[in-house]
Amino acid sequence: MVSEAPANSPKIPPISGIAPGIFDPVISILKASSAPIRRRKLLEELERRGHRISLAGLNRVLQHCAQSGLTVESPEGVRLRAGRG
C-alpha cells in the first residue's frame, strides 16, 4: 500500500534502493534540529522512531535529498537547505 505524503511534505520521486516511506522521517528529524546532524545521530533517531535503516541506505536517502536541493552537508553534518523547513 502506498501512502500519500502530507500536503506540506516535499515531493520526492522514489529511486531504486531507497525504502518507501523513509523520506518523511528523515526530513522530520532534520526539521526538528536547529543545527546540522551527523549521520550516526540520524540513524539513532530513526531507530528510536521505529525506522531501522542501514548506513548505506541512509547515505542513499541523503544523496537523493541533496540532489533534490532539500539538504546541504558540511563537516558538522546534514541540515535542511534554508527556506525548506
Side-chain angles (χ1 to χ4, degrees):
M1 179 167 89
V2 176
S3 62
E4 291 186 29
N8 62 351
S9 176
K11 303 296 182 223
I12 302 172
I15 66 169
S16 178
I18 295 180
I22 197 66
F23 287 106
D24 286 341
V26 170
I27 297 298
S28 175
I29 292 166
L30 293 173
K31 279 183 182 179
S33 177
S34 60
I37 302 175
R38 293 191 181 271
R39 283 175 164 71
R40 293 288 178 187
K41 291 293 182 188
L42 266 172
L43 285 173
E44 290 171 11
E45 183 60 22
L46 285 167
E47 175 120 9
R48 191 184 73 71
R49 294 181 182 199
H51 301 280
R52 183 172 221 151
I53 185 173
S54 68
L55 179 58
L58 178 61
N59 285 338
R60 285 190 295 273
V61 171
L62 293 176
Q63 177 184 8
H64 189 61
C65 287
Q67 290 172 346
S68 299
L70 295 173
T71 60
V72 292
E73 296 189 41
S74 69
E76 292 79 31
V78 181
R79 65 175 171 78
L80 286 179
R81 185 174 296 278
R84 290 289 195 170

